[in-house]
């Protein structure tokens, strides 16, 4: 009784002024709270960049732009260069995409267009399950399955097939350890392809029914309608899925650290051990001493951050370009 | 039984937390002596009620935390450099606690006998100058063993580590080429080979990769029943790594410097295992809180007497008596 009595006059009072009435209605409160959440993203990003920039100061001052191109990483003499790690990060991610994009997009087309309802749902559920497996599990599995397979079977097979092909032979030169760039790429490919499937499938499913029906009505086969009408229509979503996979591959740490071999030298051969930016950060940060070593590691983090920024920019650009083409054709 | 013990320790932890929050001392550093440090701190707490929290997050991490003033004291597998000491506001004192060793473990197809290696050979293997197991220089030390023409796969630590510090310090002492090209440190620029994370990562790679050689802590190799190489010491004898070999290395040390910052790698003595090292606690020379000062000095005194008896059971070599006596004098320097 007392509470309703107390609430009553309040209602009257707030009803009289504009702001408070909206406040009471909840709109203003909701707007303020969500605004706070939205700006928190900005604040975190700004803090992240500031921290990376300030903490990498000693390294940036000492090495300048040569940090990006130097191949020396010597904690004893305090000389640091990012190129072996930048190279390893890009190579493993690109090779992973080369493997997983055809498989992922192909699987998405099957699941969205060709598979029957229940069967498609079951497979999709499994794919989404794969996406939630922690990366350290993929790393462990790789150590016990992919690494021995690479050493005993895949590596030697690649050497026999490509060993005497000009240009390509450099990619399979040297001893086969089982760990290395290619092993890391395969693990990354397995890790990112659930993402590519999921997002691509959503994009394909979102294509309006009329598009397919029109193609079929004009006499196209099921595959022709899928490949020439549905897939081009969904290309933005598919490109998005590829970049999502790429971003994930660039930043993957644990699984890569476990199978890449952690060698800070650059090798042309994909069968050789190497290192990536996230992997060296995980390995060395805890024990980095002095002023320059931690600072150089933080600058590596900054480089990785910039790399993902550039990548995101490229993704936008690509989407912009393909959209214009699409509209021009239409 | 186990469950009762767990429950009991949980309850006691809870009570300890409530009762003596002010008496808690925080320490961090070397992971290699962490097992014995944990045991010591547990025993010491049961005896005196002083709780010491220890984080075995690495030697350099410990030194960093000590420099920032985040911990009350630190621990390291390699002595601090002059620059590092200068960076700390209150000058830290080095207290050796126990000794350990780094051993070479290998996986050579078809070889089951114990392999013998000399220092310069190990350095050249890790420099990438010796690349096959049947290299004449390896064969010369292993007459009677048929070594295959397999490629040597070098395995090292990928993470910064005091173990790497001890190993590279030894290589720099026995090989001028190593000292010039690579040098010593907890992280170095490895000329060749694969990196594995922690002892387990190195051991895993060696187990998996035919023709490989890697280095791990003696305790890790003993606990996991791994095979390891005998190494030629400064007296020209091949010694299999063991606690006796490590103890001999400490006993063979001619003179302990005043600040206890000493490397006993490649030391003299017939029974000495050459890749041995002390591990240190780094204690501030001034502790303003009287209760903390009393607790820490009390612990050090206890560690140098009662504590040393725990060493062997946990596979560490205890300190030689002369070092213990000298350290007891240093405790008085803590103001």
């Amino acid at each position: 009784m007392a509470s309703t009595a107390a609430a009553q006059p309040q209602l009257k009072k707030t009803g009289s002024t504009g702001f408070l009435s909206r406040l009471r209605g909840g709109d203003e409160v909701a707007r303020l709270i969500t605004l706070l959440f939205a700006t928190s993203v900005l604040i975190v990003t700004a803090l992240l960049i500031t921290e990376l920039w300030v903490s990498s100061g000693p390294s940036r001052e000492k090495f300048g732009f040569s940090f990006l191109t130097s191949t020396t990483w010597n904690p004893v003499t305090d000389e640091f260069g990012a190129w072996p790690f930048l190279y390893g990060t890009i190579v493993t991610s690109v090779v992973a995409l080369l493997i997983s994009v055809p498989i992922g997009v192909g699987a998405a087309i099957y699941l969205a267009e060709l598979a029957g309802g229940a069967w498609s749902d079951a497979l999709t559920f499994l794919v989404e399950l794969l996406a939630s497996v922690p990366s350290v599990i993929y790393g462990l599995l790789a150590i016990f399955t992919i690494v021995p397979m690479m050493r005993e079977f895949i590596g030697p097979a690649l050497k026999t097939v490509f060993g005497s092909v000009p240009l390509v032979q450099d990619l399979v030169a040297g001893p086969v350890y089982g760990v290395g760039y290619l092993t890391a790429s395969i693990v990354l490919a397995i890790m990112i392809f659930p993402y590519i499937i999921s997002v691509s499938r959503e994009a394909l499913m979102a294509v309006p029914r009329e598009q397919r029906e029109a193609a079929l009505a004009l006499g196209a086969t099921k595959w022709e309608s899928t490949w020439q009408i549905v897939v081009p229509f969904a290309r933005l979503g598919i490109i998005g899925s590829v970049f999502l996979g790429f971003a994930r591959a660039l930043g993957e740490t644990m699984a890569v650290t476990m199978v890449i071999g952690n060698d800070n030298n650059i090798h042309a051969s994909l069968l050789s051990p190497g290192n990536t930016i996230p992997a060296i950060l995980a390995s060395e940060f805890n024990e980095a001493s002095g002023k320059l070593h931690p600072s150089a590691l933080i600058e590596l983090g900054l480089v990785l951050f910039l790399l993902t920024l550039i990548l995101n920019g490229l993704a936008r650009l690509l989407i912009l370009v393909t959209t214009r083409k699409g509209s021009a054709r239409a | 039984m186990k469950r009762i013990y767990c429950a009991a320790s949980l309850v006691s932890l809870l009570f300890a937390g409530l009762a003596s929050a002010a008496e808690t001392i925080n320490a961090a550093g070397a992971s290699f002596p962490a097992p014995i440090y944990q045991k010591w701190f547990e025993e010491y707490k049961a005896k005196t009620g002083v709780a010491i929290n220890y984080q075995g997050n690495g030697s350099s991490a410990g030194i960093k935390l000590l420099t920032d003033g985040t911990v009350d004291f630190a621990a390291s597998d390699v002595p601090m450099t002059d620059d590092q000491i200068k960076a700390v506001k209150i000058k830290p004192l080095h207290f050796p606690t126990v000794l350990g060793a780094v051993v070479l473990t290998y996986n050579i197809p078809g070889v089951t006998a114990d392999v013998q290696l000399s220092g310069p050979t190990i350095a050249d293997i890790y420099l990438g100058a010796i690349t096959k197991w049947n290299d004449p220089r390896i064969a010369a030390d292993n007459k009677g063993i048929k070594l295959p023409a397999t490629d040597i796969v070098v395995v090292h630590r990928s993470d910064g580590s005091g173990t790497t510090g001890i190993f590279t310090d030894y290589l720099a002492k026995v090989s001028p080429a190593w000292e010039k090209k690579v040098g010593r440190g907890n992280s170095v620029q490895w000329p060749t080979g694969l990196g594995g994370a922690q002892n387990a990562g190195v051991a895993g790679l060696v187990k998996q990769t035919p023709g490989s050689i890697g280095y791990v802590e003696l305790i890790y190799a003993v606990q996991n029943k791994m095979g390891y190489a005998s190494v030629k010491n400064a007296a020209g004898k091949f010694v299999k790594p063991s606690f006796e070999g490590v103890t001999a290395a400490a006993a063979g040390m001619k003179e302990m410097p005043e600040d206890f910052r000493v490397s006993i790698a490649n030391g003299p003595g017939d029974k000495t295992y050459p890749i041995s090292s002390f591990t240190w606690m780094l204690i501030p020379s001034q502790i303003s809180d009287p209760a903390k000062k009393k607790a820490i000095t009390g612990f050090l005194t206890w560690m140098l007497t009662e504590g040393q008896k725990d060493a062997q059971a946990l596979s560490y070599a205890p300190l030689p008596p002369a070092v213990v006596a000298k350290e007891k004098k240093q405790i008085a320097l803590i103001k």
Side-chain angles (χ1 to χ4, degrees):
Chain A
M1 271 312 279
S3 65
T4 43
Q8 212 63 16
Q10 217 174 23
L11 189 74
K12 272 182 196 151
K13 208 166 88 190
T14 52
S16 57
T17 62
F19 173 75
L20 284 177
S21 81
R22 276 192 294 148
L23 196 70
R24 181 121 197 350
D27 281 3
E28 200 59 25
V29 177
R31 198 185 73 85
L32 285 173
I33 291 177
T34 48
L35 176 71
L36 191 73
F37 290 159
T39 43
S40 72
V41 176
L42 276 180
I43 293 168
V44 169
T45 315
L47 283 177
L48 189 70
I49 296 173
T50 321
E51 184 60 31
L52 284 175
W53 183 259
V54 171
S55 304
S56 65
S59 167
R60 277 185 294 109
E61 275 158 34
K62 171 120 196 249
F63 305 113
F65 278 106
S66 74
F67 183 75
L68 291 177
T69 51
S70 163
T71 57
T72 311
W73 185 266
N74 192 337
V76 178
T77 56
D78 266 347
E79 287 168 83
F80 299 102
W83 183 235
F85 314 106
L86 199 53
Y87 173 85
T89 308
I90 295 172
V91 164
T92 49
S93 302
V94 168
V95 174
L97 279 188
L98 290 180
I99 300 170
S100 71
V101 167
I103 301 176
V105 175
I109 291 174
Y110 176 76
L111 289 177
E113 294 294 306
L114 310 176
W119 174 231
S120 169
D121 286 347
L123 279 179
T124 308
F125 174 72
L126 284 180
V127 166
E128 273 155 17
L129 208 63
L130 271 186
S132 61
V133 174
S135 64
V136 66
I137 305 288
Y138 281 110
L140 274 178
L141 282 176
I143 286 182
F144 292 114
T145 54
I146 299 175
V147 170
M149 258 164 64
M150 278 299 289
R151 188 175 53 240
E152 308 293 338
F153 176 68
I154 304 174
L158 286 174
K159 280 176 93 79
T160 359
V161 176
F162 298 110
S164 50
V165 183
L167 294 177
V168 187
Q169 64 185 9
D170 290 342
L171 293 179
V172 295
V176 184
Y177 299 112
V179 295
Y181 294 117
L182 187 57
T183 316
S185 304
I186 293 173
V187 177
L188 283 176
I190 295 171
M191 291 179 68
I192 62 180
F193 104 115
Y195 291 84
I196 295 184
I197 294 182
S198 267
V199 178
S200 297
R201 177 176 167 274
E202 292 295 324
L204 290 167
M205 304 261 280
V207 174
R209 235 178 111 83
E210 291 77 12
Q211 293 282 330
R212 298 185 186 84
E213 281 168 356
L216 293 175
L218 288 171
T221 62
K222 175 92 182 166
W223 177 249
E224 280 168 344
S225 108
T226 303
W227 188 245
Q228 292 174 14
I229 306 297
V230 178
V231 173
F233 200 96
R235 68 182 176 276
L236 287 189
I238 294 175
I239 292 171
S241 80
V242 171
F243 277 96
L244 184 71
F246 199 11
R248 189 170 152 80
L250 286 176
E252 176 48 43
T253 311
M254 266 330 285
V256 172
T257 315
M258 290 161 90
V259 298
I260 195 158
N262 300 298
D263 180 2
N264 299 350
N265 302 304
I266 288 192
H267 304 274
S269 168
L270 289 178
L271 301 177
S272 301
N275 217 341
T276 67
I277 293 176
I280 184 115
L281 283 176
S283 297
E284 287 194 359
F285 198 79
N286 201 26
E287 282 276 319
S289 57
K291 211 173 190 179
L292 270 176
H293 194 185
S295 162
L297 286 167
I298 291 169
E299 192 175 355
L300 278 181
L302 187 66
V303 169
L304 187 64
F305 191 82
L306 290 179
L307 191 65
T308 40
L309 265 188
I310 292 170
L311 195 78
N312 264 316
L314 281 180
R316 297 269 149 167
L317 202 70
L318 195 65
I319 287 169
L320 208 69
V321 168
T322 47
T323 313
R324 274 207 194 124
K325 250 192 209 160
S327 52
R329 200 171 56 199
Chain B
M1 199 48 210
K2 211 171 205 175
R3 202 177 287 169
I4 295 171
Y5 175 74
C6 278
S9 60
L10 264 179
V11 168
S12 67
L13 264 178
L14 209 74
F15 275 100
L18 291 174
S20 59
E23 290 250 29
T24 303
I25 288 163
N26 291 306
S31 57
F32 146 74
I36 192 164
Y37 286 3
Q38 301 290 10
K39 187 169 164 43
W40 278 348
F41 297 148
E42 223 169 83
E43 281 180 26
Y44 191 65
K45 193 176 135 198
K47 215 171 128 49
T48 63
V50 175
I52 305 179
N53 290 327
Y54 186 73
Q55 265 187 58
N57 51 0
S59 300
S60 309
I63 291 173
K64 210 183 291 170
L65 291 173
L66 183 72
T67 313
D68 297 344
T70 319
V71 290
D72 296 311
F73 68 91
S76 173
D77 291 337
V78 282
M80 291 172 80
T81 62
D82 290 339
D83 287 345
Q84 281 172 334
I85 291 179
K86 254 181 236 153
V88 189
K89 225 184 264 161
I90 301 165
K91 189 182 162 232
L93 298 171
H94 286 65
F95 283 90
T97 52
V98 284
L99 292 108
V102 174
V103 303
L104 286 144
T105 175
Y106 49 82
N107 173 355
I108 316 172
V111 174
T112 48
D114 282 350
V115 170
Q116 310 194 115
L117 296 166
S118 62
T121 310
I122 302 171
D124 277 352
I125 290 174
Y126 270 85
L127 281 170
I130 295 178
T131 57
K132 300 252 183 220
W133 277 110
N134 64 349
D135 188 276
R137 286 176 58 196
I138 301 176
D141 287 337
N142 292 283
K143 298 200 173 94
I145 300 178
K146 202 175 164 341
L147 292 159
T150 319
D151 284 325
I152 299 178
V153 179
V154 167
V155 182
H156 52 74
R157 289 280 289 260
S158 59
D159 50 333
S161 160
T163 309
T164 301
I166 295 168
F167 184 61
T168 51
D169 176 48
Y170 168 73
L171 292 183
K173 273 193 171 173
V174 294
S175 160
W178 182 272
E179 181 156 37
K180 191 163 153 266
K181 282 186 201 149
V182 183
R184 19 167 95 84
N186 288 1
S187 302
V188 298
Q189 185 171 29
W190 297 100
T192 180
L194 310 174
Q198 321 236 313
N199 284 302
V202 170
L205 275 173
V206 170
K207 215 176 258 176
Q208 256 200 347
T209 318
S212 59
I213 182 167
Y215 63 90
V216 293
E217 287 155 10
L218 171 61
I219 295 145
Y220 186 85
V222 170
Q223 283 170 350
N224 292 279
K225 304 196 168 52
M226 296 161 66
Y228 36 82
S230 299
V231 180
K232 198 185 211 168
N233 63 21
K237 299 263 187 336
F238 285 101
V239 176
K240 186 131 179 94
S242 68
F243 315 114
E244 293 78 32
V246 182
T247 316
M253 180 190 49
K254 279 188 209 101
E255 205 181 332
M256 177 58 102
E258 283 307 312
D259 59 1
F260 293 93
R261 289 191 292 157
V262 66
S263 152
I264 54 167
N266 205 32
D270 277 356
K271 288 183 182 159
T272 295
Y273 177 71
I275 322 179
S276 303
S277 173
F278 285 105
T279 180
W280 292 264
M281 280 188 181
L282 311 165
I283 316 279
S285 54
Q286 244 181 339
I287 305 170
S288 49
D289 181 343
K292 273 188 180 170
K293 187 192 152 196
K294 191 167 160 260
I296 292 175
T297 51
F299 169 76
L300 287 173
T301 315
W302 177 86
M303 178 272 287
L304 289 168
T305 47
E306 293 293 307
Q308 289 294 311
K309 291 175 193 158
D310 291 334
Q312 201 130 9
L314 281 169
S315 317
Y316 299 87
L319 297 167
V323 177
V324 170
K326 198 167 175 148
E327 281 187 62
K328 279 184 181 162
K329 280 184 205 148
Q330 193 181 230
I331 296 178
L333 295 181
I334 302 175
K335 295 281 178 269

